[in-house]
Amino acid sequence: AITTPQKSWLQVNNEILNILGYSKEELFETTWDKISYEEDIEKDIDLFNDVLSGKINNYQVEKRFVNKDGEIVETILTLSAYKQNNKIKYLLASILDITDSKMKENLLVQQSKLAAMGEMIGNIAHQWRQPLNALSLVFQNIYFSYKLDELDDEFMDKSIKKANLLT
């Protein structure tokens, strides 16, 4: 796309129209800052102003736009100044739609979190099984002592102390 220092569109290609969902006429009736995602405007305007003031000649930034349907479009915006007689004549903007990549990235992050949570739950279950297994052995000893008619007060006291150590 080609834009003016006043943020108006001078020329756009079909890909930008497809990304943003506007017709050429609709896009030319607005400025790019008006279809920018509100939280991204300040960062973009600061960089844009740095280009206008001559501090930098170009920049690239991840930026979200709001398309005609109100959906957020994740993009990488690259903007360069075209100067004539050391004065900015227009700005060249390239917009790359990375919405699908961002969705996949977010999905991978969610999957990673779920995997970590599953591992943590597995570790907790393992930590619970160890004392429960030991407690089960104490109960089995009591049962076999009872069956063999060897269960007495001393054996019961020792068994209860072992069980209490496990809790």
Side-chain angles (χ1 to χ4, degrees):
I2 299 176
T3 67
T4 68
Q6 294 76 31
K7 305 177 192 88
S8 298
W9 304 93
L10 289 176
Q11 188 175 342
V12 295
N13 62 17
N14 288 335
E15 185 63 22
I16 289 177
L17 297 175
N18 289 335
I19 290 171
L20 300 175
Y22 291 94
S23 68
K24 188 181 279 189
E25 295 76 23
E26 291 170 323
L27 209 51
F28 284 4
E29 290 175 7
T30 189
T31 56
W32 57 258
D33 59 327
K34 292 205 170 51
I35 60 170
S36 295
Y37 187 68
E38 190 173 330
E39 292 176 18
D40 295 349
I41 293 174
E42 185 177 338
K43 172 177 59 172
D44 191 16
I45 295 291
D46 288 345
L47 290 167
F48 186 77
N49 287 336
D50 286 347
V51 169
L52 294 181
S53 70
K55 286 183 186 175
I56 59 175
N57 289 322
N58 56 58
Y59 65 89
Q60 186 174 68
V61 65
E62 279 193 25
K63 174 189 170 81
R64 294 169 286 187
F65 287 97
V66 179
N67 71 11
K68 184 177 177 177
D69 296 330
E71 296 171 346
I72 296 171
V73 180
E74 301 266 357
T75 68
I76 294 178
L77 168 69
T78 304
L79 187 121
S80 300
Y82 176 77
K83 296 180 182 180
Q84 204 171 46
N85 298 327
N86 223 15
K87 187 176 179 183
I88 295 176
K89 185 163 181 165
Y90 54 83
L91 300 124
L92 299 170
S94 171
I95 299 172
L96 176 64
D97 186 352
I98 59 169
T99 304
D100 287 343
S101 297
K102 282 291 191 176
M103 287 173 50
K104 289 175 186 172
E105 181 182 313
N106 289 338
L107 181 61
L108 286 174
V109 167
Q110 290 296 339
Q111 287 175 338
S112 176
K113 286 179 183 178
L114 289 174
M117 191 181 310
E119 184 178 334
M120 181 180 67
I121 289 170
N123 289 337
I124 291 169
H126 178 72
Q127 289 175 348
W128 272 94
R129 277 191 303 268
Q130 286 178 326
L132 288 175
N133 286 338
L135 192 57
S136 176
L137 290 174
V138 170
F139 290 138
Q140 286 177 10
N141 281 339
I142 293 171
Y143 176 74
F144 289 126
S145 294
Y146 170 75
K147 282 293 194 184
L148 296 172
D149 212 21
E150 296 175 359
L151 188 61
D152 59 13
D153 287 343
E154 182 183 344
F155 185 82
M156 276 303 287
D157 287 342
K158 285 181 183 179
S159 296
I160 290 172
K161 284 181 184 176
K162 281 183 187 177
N164 284 336
L165 289 174
L166 297 171
T167 59

PDB file of all heavy atoms in Angstrom, residues 106-140:
ATOM      1  N   ASN A 106      -0.697 -19.784  19.532  1.00  0.00           N
ATOM      2  CA  ASN A 106      -1.497 -19.796  20.759  1.00  0.00           C
ATOM      3  C   ASN A 106      -1.948 -21.210  21.099  1.00  0.00           C
ATOM      4  O   ASN A 106      -1.985 -21.585  22.273  1.00  0.00           O
ATOM      5  CB  ASN A 106      -2.707 -18.870  20.624  1.00  0.00           C
ATOM      6  CG  ASN A 106      -2.316 -17.408  20.634  1.00  0.00           C
ATOM      7  OD1 ASN A 106      -1.252 -17.046  21.118  1.00  0.00           O
ATOM      8  ND2 ASN A 106      -3.164 -16.568  20.085  1.00  0.00           N
ATOM      9  N   LEU A 107      -2.282 -22.001  20.078  1.00  0.00           N
ATOM     10  CA  LEU A 107      -2.687 -23.384  20.298  1.00  0.00           C
ATOM     11  C   LEU A 107      -1.530 -24.193  20.877  1.00  0.00           C
ATOM     12  O   LEU A 107      -1.720 -24.977  21.808  1.00  0.00           O
ATOM     13  CB  LEU A 107      -3.182 -24.006  18.989  1.00  0.00           C
ATOM     14  CG  LEU A 107      -3.673 -25.439  19.058  1.00  0.00           C
ATOM     15  CD1 LEU A 107      -4.869 -25.556  20.000  1.00  0.00           C
ATOM     16  CD2 LEU A 107      -4.056 -25.934  17.675  1.00  0.00           C
ATOM     17  N   LEU A 108      -0.328 -23.979  20.342  1.00  0.00           N
ATOM     18  CA  LEU A 108       0.847 -24.678  20.869  1.00  0.00           C
ATOM     19  C   LEU A 108       1.134 -24.282  22.319  1.00  0.00           C
ATOM     20  O   LEU A 108       1.493 -25.132  23.138  1.00  0.00           O
ATOM     21  CB  LEU A 108       2.072 -24.389  19.996  1.00  0.00           C
ATOM     22  CG  LEU A 108       2.100 -25.082  18.645  1.00  0.00           C
ATOM     23  CD1 LEU A 108       3.283 -24.589  17.817  1.00  0.00           C
ATOM     24  CD2 LEU A 108       2.171 -26.589  18.814  1.00  0.00           C
ATOM     25  N   VAL A 109       0.951 -23.013  22.635  1.00  0.00           N
ATOM     26  CA  VAL A 109       1.151 -22.551  24.014  1.00  0.00           C
ATOM     27  C   VAL A 109       0.144 -23.233  24.932  1.00  0.00           C
ATOM     28  O   VAL A 109       0.494 -23.719  26.017  1.00  0.00           O
ATOM     29  CB  VAL A 109       1.045 -21.007  24.102  1.00  0.00           C
ATOM     30  CG1 VAL A 109       0.936 -20.542  25.543  1.00  0.00           C
ATOM     31  CG2 VAL A 109       2.227 -20.355  23.417  1.00  0.00           C
ATOM     32  N   GLN A 110      -1.126 -23.295  24.503  1.00  0.00           N
ATOM     33  CA  GLN A 110      -2.160 -23.956  25.306  1.00  0.00           C
ATOM     34  C   GLN A 110      -1.845 -25.434  25.481  1.00  0.00           C
ATOM     35  O   GLN A 110      -1.992 -25.978  26.574  1.00  0.00           O
ATOM     36  CB  GLN A 110      -3.539 -23.780  24.659  1.00  0.00           C
ATOM     37  CG  GLN A 110      -4.085 -22.385  24.716  1.00  0.00           C
ATOM     38  CD  GLN A 110      -4.347 -21.918  26.142  1.00  0.00           C
ATOM     39  OE1 GLN A 110      -4.500 -22.694  27.063  1.00  0.00           O
ATOM     40  NE2 GLN A 110      -4.385 -20.623  26.318  1.00  0.00           N
ATOM     41  N   GLN A 111      -1.425 -26.100  24.402  1.00  0.00           N
ATOM     42  CA  GLN A 111      -1.080 -27.520  24.489  1.00  0.00           C
ATOM     43  C   GLN A 111       0.087 -27.736  25.437  1.00  0.00           C
ATOM     44  O   GLN A 111       0.112 -28.697  26.206  1.00  0.00           O
ATOM     45  CB  GLN A 111      -0.750 -28.073  23.106  1.00  0.00           C
ATOM     46  CG  GLN A 111      -1.962 -28.242  22.219  1.00  0.00           C
ATOM     47  CD  GLN A 111      -1.589 -28.674  20.806  1.00  0.00           C
ATOM     48  OE1 GLN A 111      -0.466 -28.479  20.354  1.00  0.00           O
ATOM     49  NE2 GLN A 111      -2.555 -29.248  20.101  1.00  0.00           N
ATOM     50  N   SER A 112       1.053 -26.837  25.387  1.00  0.00           N
ATOM     51  CA  SER A 112       2.207 -26.931  26.279  1.00  0.00           C
ATOM     52  C   SER A 112       1.784 -26.782  27.735  1.00  0.00           C
ATOM     53  O   SER A 112       2.248 -27.516  28.614  1.00  0.00           O
ATOM     54  CB  SER A 112       3.229 -25.863  25.900  1.00  0.00           C
ATOM     55  OG  SER A 112       4.308 -25.871  26.790  1.00  0.00           O
ATOM     56  N   LYS A 113       0.878 -25.835  27.990  1.00  0.00           N
ATOM     57  CA  LYS A 113       0.380 -25.645  29.357  1.00  0.00           C
ATOM     58  C   LYS A 113      -0.376 -26.876  29.835  1.00  0.00           C
ATOM     59  O   LYS A 113      -0.217 -27.300  30.985  1.00  0.00           O
ATOM     60  CB  LYS A 113      -0.534 -24.414  29.423  1.00  0.00           C
ATOM     61  CG  LYS A 113       0.189 -23.096  29.346  1.00  0.00           C
ATOM     62  CD  LYS A 113      -0.797 -21.944  29.404  1.00  0.00           C
ATOM     63  CE  LYS A 113      -0.098 -20.609  29.266  1.00  0.00           C
ATOM     64  NZ  LYS A 113      -1.047 -19.484  29.272  1.00  0.00           N
ATOM     65  N   LEU A 114      -1.208 -27.444  28.958  1.00  0.00           N
ATOM     66  CA  LEU A 114      -1.957 -28.642  29.336  1.00  0.00           C
ATOM     67  C   LEU A 114      -1.022 -29.823  29.580  1.00  0.00           C
ATOM     68  O   LEU A 114      -1.249 -30.610  30.512  1.00  0.00           O
ATOM     69  CB  LEU A 114      -2.984 -28.989  28.250  1.00  0.00           C
ATOM     70  CG  LEU A 114      -4.175 -28.040  28.136  1.00  0.00           C
ATOM     71  CD1 LEU A 114      -5.034 -28.410  26.932  1.00  0.00           C
ATOM     72  CD2 LEU A 114      -5.006 -28.055  29.405  1.00  0.00           C
ATOM     73  N   ALA A 115       0.019 -29.954  28.776  1.00  0.00           N
ATOM     74  CA  ALA A 115       0.979 -31.035  28.972  1.00  0.00           C
ATOM     75  C   ALA A 115       1.702 -30.872  30.302  1.00  0.00           C
ATOM     76  O   ALA A 115       1.890 -31.847  31.043  1.00  0.00           O
ATOM     77  CB  ALA A 115       1.981 -31.071  27.812  1.00  0.00           C
ATOM     78  N   ALA A 116       2.084 -29.641  30.629  1.00  0.00           N
ATOM     79  CA  ALA A 116       2.756 -29.381  31.907  1.00  0.00           C
ATOM     80  C   ALA A 116       1.813 -29.687  33.068  1.00  0.00           C
ATOM     81  O   ALA A 116       2.230 -30.251  34.089  1.00  0.00           O
ATOM     82  CB  ALA A 116       3.239 -27.931  31.962  1.00  0.00           C
ATOM     83  N   MET A 117       0.543 -29.315  32.916  1.00  0.00           N
ATOM     84  CA  MET A 117      -0.429 -29.588  33.963  1.00  0.00           C
ATOM     85  C   MET A 117      -0.630 -31.098  34.131  1.00  0.00           C
ATOM     86  O   MET A 117      -0.704 -31.601  35.247  1.00  0.00           O
ATOM     87  CB  MET A 117      -1.771 -28.919  33.641  1.00  0.00           C
ATOM     88  CG  MET A 117      -2.741 -28.941  34.799  1.00  0.00           C
ATOM     89  SD  MET A 117      -4.341 -28.191  34.435  1.00  0.00           S
ATOM     90  CE  MET A 117      -3.906 -26.637  33.738  1.00  0.00           C
ATOM     91  N   GLY A 118      -0.686 -31.818  33.017  1.00  0.00           N
ATOM     92  CA  GLY A 118      -0.823 -33.276  33.079  1.00  0.00           C
ATOM     93  C   GLY A 118       0.360 -33.917  33.770  1.00  0.00           C
ATOM     94  O   GLY A 118       0.198 -34.837  34.579  1.00  0.00           O
ATOM     95  N   GLU A 119       1.552 -33.439  33.471  1.00  0.00           N
ATOM     96  CA  GLU A 119       2.758 -33.960  34.118  1.00  0.00           C
ATOM     97  C   GLU A 119       2.725 -33.683  35.620  1.00  0.00           C
ATOM     98  O   GLU A 119       3.063 -34.553  36.429  1.00  0.00           O
ATOM     99  CB  GLU A 119       3.995 -33.320  33.488  1.00  0.00           C
ATOM    100  CG  GLU A 119       5.303 -33.875  34.020  1.00  0.00           C
ATOM    101  CD  GLU A 119       6.512 -33.254  33.330  1.00  0.00           C
ATOM    102  OE1 GLU A 119       6.385 -32.798  32.185  1.00  0.00           O
ATOM    103  OE2 GLU A 119       7.576 -33.240  33.966  1.00  0.00           O
ATOM    104  N   MET A 120       2.295 -32.469  35.988  1.00  0.00           N
ATOM    105  CA  MET A 120       2.209 -32.110  37.404  1.00  0.00           C
ATOM    106  C   MET A 120       1.193 -33.008  38.122  1.00  0.00           C
ATOM    107  O   MET A 120       1.454 -33.515  39.216  1.00  0.00           O
ATOM    108  CB  MET A 120       1.808 -30.638  37.555  1.00  0.00           C
ATOM    109  CG  MET A 120       1.721 -30.179  39.001  1.00  0.00           C
ATOM    110  SD  MET A 120       1.237 -28.451  39.171  1.00  0.00           S
ATOM    111  CE  MET A 120      -0.431 -28.512  38.580  1.00  0.00           C
ATOM    112  N   ILE A 121       0.051 -33.243  37.487  1.00  0.00           N
ATOM    113  CA  ILE A 121      -0.978 -34.105  38.090  1.00  0.00           C
ATOM    114  C   ILE A 121      -0.445 -35.526  38.233  1.00  0.00           C
ATOM    115  O   ILE A 121      -0.684 -36.184  39.259  1.00  0.00           O
ATOM    116  CB  ILE A 121      -2.273 -34.054  37.260  1.00  0.00           C
ATOM    117  CG1 ILE A 121      -2.938 -32.687  37.436  1.00  0.00           C
ATOM    118  CG2 ILE A 121      -3.233 -35.168  37.665  1.00  0.00           C
ATOM    119  CD1 ILE A 121      -4.087 -32.426  36.495  1.00  0.00           C
ATOM    120  N   GLY A 122       0.306 -35.992  37.240  1.00  0.00           N
ATOM    121  CA  GLY A 122       0.925 -37.319  37.325  1.00  0.00           C
ATOM    122  C   GLY A 122       1.891 -37.411  38.492  1.00  0.00           C
ATOM    123  O   GLY A 122       1.932 -38.414  39.208  1.00  0.00           O
ATOM    124  N   ASN A 123       2.688 -36.341  38.686  1.00  0.00           N
ATOM    125  CA  ASN A 123       3.635 -36.317  39.815  1.00  0.00           C
ATOM    126  C   ASN A 123       2.899 -36.318  41.153  1.00  0.00           C
ATOM    127  O   ASN A 123       3.312 -36.998  42.092  1.00  0.00           O
ATOM    128  CB  ASN A 123       4.555 -35.101  39.718  1.00  0.00           C
ATOM    129  CG  ASN A 123       5.558 -35.227  38.597  1.00  0.00           C
ATOM    130  OD1 ASN A 123       5.886 -36.328  38.159  1.00  0.00           O
ATOM    131  ND2 ASN A 123       6.048 -34.106  38.106  1.00  0.00           N
ATOM    132  N   ILE A 124       1.826 -35.558  41.226  1.00  0.00           N
ATOM    133  CA  ILE A 124       1.041 -35.526  42.469  1.00  0.00           C
ATOM    134  C   ILE A 124       0.441 -36.901  42.744  1.00  0.00           C
ATOM    135  O   ILE A 124       0.494 -37.395  43.882  1.00  0.00           O
ATOM    136  CB  ILE A 124      -0.058 -34.439  42.390  1.00  0.00           C
ATOM    137  CG1 ILE A 124       0.576 -33.046  42.405  1.00  0.00           C
ATOM    138  CG2 ILE A 124      -1.064 -34.589  43.527  1.00  0.00           C
ATOM    139  CD1 ILE A 124      -0.395 -31.920  42.078  1.00  0.00           C
ATOM    140  N   ALA A 125      -0.090 -37.532  41.714  1.00  0.00           N
ATOM    141  CA  ALA A 125      -0.677 -38.872  41.881  1.00  0.00           C
ATOM    142  C   ALA A 125       0.389 -39.855  42.351  1.00  0.00           C
ATOM    143  O   ALA A 125       0.128 -40.686  43.232  1.00  0.00           O
ATOM    144  CB  ALA A 125      -1.312 -39.336  40.574  1.00  0.00           C
ATOM    145  N   HIS A 126       1.592 -39.754  41.787  1.00  0.00           N
ATOM    146  CA  HIS A 126       2.678 -40.638  42.197  1.00  0.00           C
ATOM    147  C   HIS A 126       3.026 -40.413  43.665  1.00  0.00           C
ATOM    148  O   HIS A 126       3.255 -41.364  44.418  1.00  0.00           O
ATOM    149  CB  HIS A 126       3.901 -40.396  41.311  1.00  0.00           C
ATOM    150  CG  HIS A 126       5.088 -41.216  41.690  1.00  0.00           C
ATOM    151  ND1 HIS A 126       5.147 -42.571  41.460  1.00  0.00           N
ATOM    152  CD2 HIS A 126       6.257 -40.887  42.302  1.00  0.00           C
ATOM    153  CE1 HIS A 126       6.306 -43.036  41.908  1.00  0.00           C
ATOM    154  NE2 HIS A 126       6.992 -42.034  42.414  1.00  0.00           N
ATOM    155  N   GLN A 127       3.075 -39.140  44.083  1.00  0.00           N
ATOM    156  CA  GLN A 127       3.392 -38.819  45.476  1.00  0.00           C
ATOM    157  C   GLN A 127       2.317 -39.348  46.417  1.00  0.00           C
ATOM    158  O   GLN A 127       2.609 -39.703  47.552  1.00  0.00           O
ATOM    159  CB  GLN A 127       3.580 -37.313  45.648  1.00  0.00           C
ATOM    160  CG  GLN A 127       4.851 -36.813  44.997  1.00  0.00           C
ATOM    161  CD  GLN A 127       4.982 -35.300  45.062  1.00  0.00           C
ATOM    162  OE1 GLN A 127       4.047 -34.587  45.393  1.00  0.00           O
ATOM    163  NE2 GLN A 127       6.168 -34.810  44.724  1.00  0.00           N
ATOM    164  N   TRP A 128       1.087 -39.399  45.975  1.00  0.00           N
ATOM    165  CA  TRP A 128       0.008 -39.951  46.799  1.00  0.00           C
ATOM    166  C   TRP A 128       0.088 -41.476  46.854  1.00  0.00           C
ATOM    167  O   TRP A 128      -0.210 -42.092  47.877  1.00  0.00           O
ATOM    168  CB  TRP A 128      -1.358 -39.541  46.241  1.00  0.00           C
ATOM    169  CG  TRP A 128      -1.828 -38.230  46.786  1.00  0.00           C
ATOM    170  CD1 TRP A 128      -1.665 -37.009  46.229  1.00  0.00           C
ATOM    171  CD2 TRP A 128      -2.543 -38.025  47.997  1.00  0.00           C
ATOM    172  NE1 TRP A 128      -2.222 -36.045  47.006  1.00  0.00           N
ATOM    173  CE2 TRP A 128      -2.777 -36.651  48.108  1.00  0.00           C
ATOM    174  CE3 TRP A 128      -3.005 -38.865  49.012  1.00  0.00           C
ATOM    175  CZ2 TRP A 128      -3.451 -36.090  49.185  1.00  0.00           C
ATOM    176  CZ3 TRP A 128      -3.677 -38.317  50.079  1.00  0.00           C
ATOM    177  CH2 TRP A 128      -3.893 -36.946  50.154  1.00  0.00           C
ATOM    178  N   ARG A 129       0.458 -42.091  45.717  1.00  0.00           N
ATOM    179  CA  ARG A 129       0.489 -43.558  45.664  1.00  0.00           C
ATOM    180  C   ARG A 129       1.543 -44.143  46.587  1.00  0.00           C
ATOM    181  O   ARG A 129       1.334 -45.203  47.179  1.00  0.00           O
ATOM    182  CB  ARG A 129       0.740 -44.031  44.229  1.00  0.00           C
ATOM    183  CG  ARG A 129      -0.509 -44.072  43.374  1.00  0.00           C
ATOM    184  CD  ARG A 129      -0.271 -44.803  42.058  1.00  0.00           C
ATOM    185  NE  ARG A 129       0.798 -44.244  41.260  1.00  0.00           N
ATOM    186  CZ  ARG A 129       0.638 -43.313  40.325  1.00  0.00           C
ATOM    187  NH1 ARG A 129      -0.559 -42.838  40.074  1.00  0.00           N
ATOM    188  NH2 ARG A 129       1.665 -42.860  39.649  1.00  0.00           N
ATOM    189  N   GLN A 130       2.686 -43.495  46.717  1.00  0.00           N
ATOM    190  CA  GLN A 130       3.763 -44.047  47.547  1.00  0.00           C
ATOM    191  C   GLN A 130       3.303 -44.273  48.994  1.00  0.00           C
ATOM    192  O   GLN A 130       3.416 -45.391  49.503  1.00  0.00           O
ATOM    193  CB  GLN A 130       4.994 -43.146  47.497  1.00  0.00           C
ATOM    194  CG  GLN A 130       5.746 -43.259  46.189  1.00  0.00           C
ATOM    195  CD  GLN A 130       6.929 -42.331  46.133  1.00  0.00           C
ATOM    196  OE1 GLN A 130       6.905 -41.236  46.677  1.00  0.00           O
ATOM    197  NE2 GLN A 130       7.970 -42.767  45.453  1.00  0.00           N
ATOM    198  N   PRO A 131       2.800 -43.262  49.709  1.00  0.00           N
ATOM    199  CA  PRO A 131       2.378 -43.528  51.091  1.00  0.00           C
ATOM    200  C   PRO A 131       1.156 -44.446  51.162  1.00  0.00           C
ATOM    201  O   PRO A 131       1.024 -45.222  52.109  1.00  0.00           O
ATOM    202  CB  PRO A 131       2.072 -42.142  51.667  1.00  0.00           C
ATOM    203  CG  PRO A 131       2.012 -41.203  50.525  1.00  0.00           C
ATOM    204  CD  PRO A 131       2.744 -41.837  49.390  1.00  0.00           C
ATOM    205  N   LEU A 132       0.289 -44.378  50.162  1.00  0.00           N
ATOM    206  CA  LEU A 132      -0.880 -45.264  50.176  1.00  0.00           C
ATOM    207  C   LEU A 132      -0.454 -46.726  50.011  1.00  0.00           C
ATOM    208  O   LEU A 132      -1.025 -47.617  50.659  1.00  0.00           O
ATOM    209  CB  LEU A 132      -1.869 -44.869  49.081  1.00  0.00           C
ATOM    210  CG  LEU A 132      -2.637 -43.567  49.315  1.00  0.00           C
ATOM    211  CD1 LEU A 132      -3.500 -43.238  48.104  1.00  0.00           C
ATOM    212  CD2 LEU A 132      -3.485 -43.647  50.571  1.00  0.00           C
ATOM    213  N   ASN A 133       0.542 -46.971  49.158  1.00  0.00           N
ATOM    214  CA  ASN A 133       1.061 -48.335  49.008  1.00  0.00           C
ATOM    215  C   ASN A 133       1.684 -48.817  50.314  1.00  0.00           C
ATOM    216  O   ASN A 133       1.482 -49.966  50.727  1.00  0.00           O
ATOM    217  CB  ASN A 133       2.083 -48.420  47.871  1.00  0.00           C
ATOM    218  CG  ASN A 133       1.435 -48.364  46.506  1.00  0.00           C
ATOM    219  OD1 ASN A 133       0.258 -48.659  46.359  1.00  0.00           O
ATOM    220  ND2 ASN A 133       2.206 -47.988  45.510  1.00  0.00           N
ATOM    221  N   ALA A 134       2.459 -47.958  50.954  1.00  0.00           N
ATOM    222  CA  ALA A 134       3.076 -48.334  52.228  1.00  0.00           C
ATOM    223  C   ALA A 134       2.008 -48.596  53.291  1.00  0.00           C
ATOM    224  O   ALA A 134       2.108 -49.546  54.076  1.00  0.00           O
ATOM    225  CB  ALA A 134       4.039 -47.236  52.685  1.00  0.00           C
ATOM    226  N   LEU A 135       0.970 -47.775  53.298  1.00  0.00           N
ATOM    227  CA  LEU A 135      -0.126 -47.959  54.254  1.00  0.00           C
ATOM    228  C   LEU A 135      -0.855 -49.275  53.975  1.00  0.00           C
ATOM    229  O   LEU A 135      -1.234 -49.999  54.911  1.00  0.00           O
ATOM    230  CB  LEU A 135      -1.089 -46.773  54.152  1.00  0.00           C
ATOM    231  CG  LEU A 135      -2.134 -46.611  55.241  1.00  0.00           C
ATOM    232  CD1 LEU A 135      -1.496 -46.524  56.613  1.00  0.00           C
ATOM    233  CD2 LEU A 135      -2.978 -45.376  54.976  1.00  0.00           C
ATOM    234  N   SER A 136      -0.989 -49.595  52.711  1.00  0.00           N
ATOM    235  CA  SER A 136      -1.616 -50.854  52.335  1.00  0.00           C
ATOM    236  C   SER A 136      -0.807 -52.039  52.868  1.00  0.00           C
ATOM    237  O   SER A 136      -1.377 -53.041  53.338  1.00  0.00           O
ATOM    238  CB  SER A 136      -1.736 -50.928  50.812  1.00  0.00           C
ATOM    239  OG  SER A 136      -2.254 -52.180  50.420  1.00  0.00           O
ATOM    240  N   LEU A 137       0.520 -51.928  52.810  1.00  0.00           N
ATOM    241  CA  LEU A 137       1.372 -53.007  53.352  1.00  0.00           C
ATOM    242  C   LEU A 137       1.198 -53.155  54.857  1.00  0.00           C
ATOM    243  O   LEU A 137       1.190 -54.273  55.377  1.00  0.00           O
ATOM    244  CB  LEU A 137       2.837 -52.742  53.005  1.00  0.00           C
ATOM    245  CG  LEU A 137       3.210 -52.891  51.529  1.00  0.00           C
ATOM    246  CD1 LEU A 137       4.655 -52.451  51.292  1.00  0.00           C
ATOM    247  CD2 LEU A 137       2.999 -54.317  51.067  1.00  0.00           C
ATOM    248  N   VAL A 138       1.063 -52.026  55.566  1.00  0.00           N
ATOM    249  CA  VAL A 138       0.823 -52.082  57.013  1.00  0.00           C
ATOM    250  C   VAL A 138      -0.484 -52.827  57.280  1.00  0.00           C
ATOM    251  O   VAL A 138      -0.546 -53.719  58.159  1.00  0.00           O
ATOM    252  CB  VAL A 138       0.789 -50.660  57.635  1.00  0.00           C
ATOM    253  CG1 VAL A 138       0.298 -50.695  59.073  1.00  0.00           C
ATOM    254  CG2 VAL A 138       2.160 -50.003  57.539  1.00  0.00           C
ATOM    255  N   PHE A 139      -1.530 -52.502  56.520  1.00  0.00           N
ATOM    256  CA  PHE A 139      -2.816 -53.176  56.715  1.00  0.00           C
ATOM    257  C   PHE A 139      -2.717 -54.672  56.386  1.00  0.00           C
ATOM    258  O   PHE A 139      -3.319 -55.510  57.065  1.00  0.00           O
ATOM    259  CB  PHE A 139      -3.917 -52.538  55.874  1.00  0.00           C
ATOM    260  CG  PHE A 139      -4.328 -51.174  56.346  1.00  0.00           C
ATOM    261  CD1 PHE A 139      -4.570 -50.153  55.437  1.00  0.00           C
ATOM    262  CD2 PHE A 139      -4.484 -50.907  57.699  1.00  0.00           C
ATOM    263  CE1 PHE A 139      -4.955 -48.903  55.874  1.00  0.00           C
ATOM    264  CE2 PHE A 139      -4.870 -49.661  58.144  1.00  0.00           C
ATOM    265  CZ  PHE A 139      -5.105 -48.653  57.229  1.00  0.00           C
ATOM    266  N   GLN A 140      -1.962 -55.012  55.340  1.00  0.00           N
ATOM    267  CA  GLN A 140      -1.794 -56.425  54.995  1.00  0.00           C
ATOM    268  C   GLN A 140      -1.077 -57.182  56.110  1.00  0.00           C
ATOM    269  O   GLN A 140      -1.433 -58.326  56.431  1.00  0.00           O
ATOM    270  CB  GLN A 140      -1.017 -56.569  53.679  1.00  0.00           C
ATOM    271  CG  GLN A 140      -1.837 -56.222  52.458  1.00  0.00           C
ATOM    272  CD  GLN A 140      -1.027 -56.302  51.172  1.00  0.00           C
ATOM    273  OE1 GLN A 140       0.108 -56.787  51.164  1.00  0.00           O
ATOM    274  NE2 GLN A 140      -1.616 -55.817  50.086  1.00  0.00           N
TER     275      GLN A 140
END
